[in-house]
Amino acid sequence: MTGGTAPHPTGDELLRILAALGNPHRLRIVATLAEGGRDYVSSLARRLGIGRPLLHMHLQRLEAAGLVTGSLEQAADGKAVKYVEVTPFAIGLTPEAVVRAAATITQEEKHMKESAK
Amino acid sequence: MTGGTAPHPTGDELLRILAALGNPHRLRIVATLAEGGRDYVSSLARRLGIGRPLLHMHLQRLEAAGLVTGSLEQAADGKAVKYVEVTPFAIGLTPEAVVRAAATITQEEKHMKESAK
DNA sequence: TTGAGGTGTCAGCTTTGGCTGACAGGCAGC
DNA sequence: GCTGCCTGTCAGCCAAAGCTGACACCTCAA
């Protein structure tokens, strides 16, 4: 197991990571998890002072970027609880790294509304 | 001479940097400038295949983040040309860095529509 | 004067993102 | 049973981002 995000991600991966971290709420989510360790969604929402649906959406983006990992577990009392924790990562952000990443950007088509029927 | 962005920016600075870089066009802009060196706006727009108004907007965000620097110069023939180049930067992106940055996030009020008259 | 090529900005559209309230289900314990 | 706390997702609203076409200005060269 790697246990961390590679220092030289592809262009799309880097874009997802940067976009995910470029948001006050999401940055604070990562910071909170990095400091206090793993926590479950409802508790985390309370700590951050935001609603659960909102947190849920942000967590989705962070998971999609590979920055956090969620695992649905059974608490001691049998309740289903989803714990989430940060995935270790180390990204070096320099112009050279940007050049390398930009070379592998996949320009996915806008929406191609019902083409190729 | 500073010549570069500090490796430990404030929370707001980091947010602006990440949000700026978390966009395909802007990432490619930085990459293109980092590779080919400085260039002027119209030329850059042609190289990237995007419109000048659009590029102008993206450059504003990149400048606001301190990632690129624009300078309006007089070309040899007297024409005013705006050259833009990348500002050297080196940001270490790790959970620890995020924790440090998140501590200094300035939560500016939404819009406070004419309150505190 | 006209044309080409540079600069910037504005109005207006479409799309995305952010956010909330409400709903539905599962599993304790009272 | 009911209550509480956890899970998820949905519809819908509103603000912000992204993008385009048109406009105005400047300077040089033909």
Side-chain angles (χ1 to χ4, degrees), chain B residues 16-114:
Chain B
R16 235 170 308 154
I17 291 173
L18 295 175
L21 251 30
N23 174 285
H25 278 163
R26 290 194 287 266
L27 195 71
R28 191 179 283 118
I29 290 171
V30 172
T32 304
L33 289 175
E35 269 186 321
R38 64 198 313 230
D39 196 358
Y40 62 95
V41 182
S42 291
S43 168
L44 188 56
R46 274 188 296 263
R47 286 212 277 163
L48 293 169
I50 66 177
R52 287 189 304 290
L54 182 56
L55 175 59
H56 190 267
M57 187 196 64
H58 285 310
L59 283 177
Q60 274 184 171
R61 287 179 82 88
L62 287 171
E63 279 201 71
L67 294 172
V68 304
T69 307
S71 59
L72 190 58
E73 302 180 6
Q74 294 290 341
D77 59 351
K79 285 183 182 174
V81 180
K82 180 178 183 180
Y83 280 94
V84 52
E85 62 187 324
V86 293
T87 300
F89 58 89
I91 312 278
L93 217 50
T94 61
E96 298 74 40
V98 171
V99 169
R100 205 176 319 125
T104 64
I105 290 180
T106 301
Q107 199 117 267
E108 48 192 288
E109 304 315 312
K110 304 306 175 65
H111 39 11
M112 47 169 68
K113 52 176 180 181
E114 50 183 299

Side-chain angles (χ1 to χ4, degrees), chain A residues 40-42 46 52-53 56 60 79-82:
Chain A
Y40 62 95
V41 183
S42 292
R46 275 187 296 260
R52 287 188 306 289
H56 190 266
Q60 274 185 171
K79 285 183 183 175
V81 181
K82 180 179 182 182

Side-chain angles (χ1 to χ4, degrees), chain A residues 8-27:
Chain A
H8 297 314
T10 71
D12 300 288
E13 287 172 346
L14 184 62
L15 276 176
R16 234 169 309 155
I17 291 173
L18 295 176
L21 251 30
N23 173 285
H25 278 162
R26 290 193 289 265
L27 196 70

Side-chain angles (χ1 to χ4, degrees), chain A residues 31-80:
Chain A
T32 304
L33 288 175
E35 270 186 320
R38 66 204 309 250
D39 197 359
Y40 62 95
V41 183
S42 292
S43 169
L44 187 55
R46 275 187 296 260
R47 285 213 277 165
L48 293 168
I50 66 179
R52 287 188 306 289
L54 182 56
L55 175 59
H56 190 266
M57 186 197 64
H58 286 310
L59 284 177
Q60 274 185 171
R61 284 180 144 263
L62 288 171
E63 279 201 72
L67 294 172
V68 304
T69 307
S71 59
L72 189 58
E73 303 180 5
Q74 294 290 341
D77 57 353
K79 285 183 183 175

